[in-house]
Amino acid sequence: MLTINNYEDYKSYEGKLLGLSEWHKIDQQQINSFADATLDHQWIHVDKEKAESEGPFKSTIAHGYLTLSLIPYLWKQIAEVRNVKMEINYGIENLKFGQAVLVNSEVQLQAKVKSVTNLRGVIKVIIEATLLIKDNAKPAYVGDVIFLYHFM
């Protein structure tokens, strides 16, 4: 895990691959809990029998937004940003879903620093986030995650 203490530390990683998180298994319980939290109970996510018999993937799949919601958890396994008064998840740009994540798949976040900009004391960092799926050539998604940091 990397430790980033300030703007200069972050800037030194610009254009570089920061690393990979641990693998995280997405099981049916997590999918069901996400469906309950978001009120999105579409059968392709929660009805195992129908998904296996009628679905295009022959299995339930994780919600796309569930896979996105893993970014903060997986990101914290790659880098520890210290000396921060405030950290804001500012947005995601240029996101493309490339592959469905089947139930019981393992996913891993790959993070690359695209840019680090000092906006009069607030640091804007754009991370290229790629969610890899174990034993799958295509990622679940690739997108630019934007964080704002106010260092002490």
Side-chain angles (χ1 to χ4, degrees), residues 67-112:
T67 64
L68 286 175
S69 76
L70 292 173
I71 290 173
Y73 169 72
L74 298 173
W75 167 246
K76 300 283 189 226
Q77 297 175 15
I78 297 170
E80 179 183 1
V81 183
R82 295 181 178 170
N83 305 315
V84 174
K85 287 190 222 179
M86 185 171 44
E87 175 183 346
I88 297 171
N89 296 320
Y90 191 63
I92 300 174
E93 295 178 338
N94 307 313
L95 177 79
K96 298 284 188 263
F97 288 105
Q99 184 71 35
V101 177
L102 306 180
V103 66
N104 296 320
S105 292
E106 292 183 58
V107 296
Q108 179 181 56
L109 184 67
Q110 174 182 287
K112 176 182 177 182

Side-chain angles (χ1 to χ4, degrees), residues 10-77:
Y10 241 136
K11 192 71 172 169
S12 73
Y13 291 112
E14 195 169 51
K16 296 178 183 171
L17 181 66
L18 287 184
L20 299 164
S21 71
E22 298 294 321
W23 289 103
H24 173 78
K25 183 176 182 178
I26 300 177
D27 62 17
Q28 192 62 52
Q29 178 58 47
Q30 185 172 21
I31 293 169
N32 292 346
S33 294
F34 189 84
D36 289 343
T38 60
L39 306 177
D40 181 358
H41 293 94
Q42 186 180 164
W43 65 267
I44 200 162
H45 304 300
V46 298
D47 188 335
K48 180 182 179 206
E49 290 75 29
K50 186 172 182 178
E52 287 175 353
S53 65
E54 298 178 35
F57 304 105
K58 303 303 177 198
S59 169
T60 55
I61 63 171
H63 302 72
Y65 286 121
L66 186 161
T67 64
L68 286 175
S69 76
L70 292 173
I71 290 173
Y73 169 72
L74 298 173
W75 167 246
K76 300 283 189 226
Q77 297 175 15

Side-chain angles (χ1 to χ4, degrees), residues 107-122:
V107 296
Q108 179 181 56
L109 184 67
Q110 174 182 287
K112 176 182 177 182
V113 178
K114 287 185 80 172
S115 67
V116 180
T117 309
N118 187 341
L119 304 172
R120 293 177 288 168
V122 174

Side-chain angles (χ1 to χ4, degrees), residues 139-151:
Y141 58 74
V142 178
D144 296 336
V145 178
I146 305 165
F147 295 117
L148 298 179
Y149 296 96
H150 187 76
F151 285 98

